Amino acid sequence: QVQLVESGGGLVQPGGSLRLSCVASGFTFTNYVMRWFRQAPGAEREFVASIEPFTTATNYGDFVRGRFTISRDNAEKMVYLQMNSLQPEDTAVYYCSARNRYTGYQYWGQGTQVTVSS
């Protein structure tokens, strides 16, 4: 059974940091590009970051501007999103995604809430 389980969300003050984690199971982790998306209330889901399985090449949404870092641990089947300098506009549900490099099929986690507020 395929599972992506996110954790690490919560309430943080503006300027603060959070580290999101996503543990994967039920599929061959190294066949998948791991990605983070987010969705704010009333908005469309938007791309945050991605990381390739072997080269670990990364890509980020324009709004990230050097504040977030995606990483992965293939042995542990984990992907992380380190988020620094968080702002209220970063408030959203953050989703972990796994996209197959060959077929494009994509799995989704259930999401973790991030709230940035004073």
Side-chain angles (χ1 to χ4, degrees), residues 33-34 49-60 70 72:
V33 178
M34 298 304 296
S50 67
I51 184 166
E52 296 287 330
F54 293 112
T55 68
T56 66
T58 58
N59 193 24
Y60 294 94
I70 188 172
R72 65 189 289 163

Side-chain angles (χ1 to χ4, degrees), residues 105-116:
Y105 190 82
Q106 188 160 238
Y107 298 115
W108 292 93
Q110 292 299 306
T112 185
Q113 176 71 47
V114 171
T115 303
V116 185

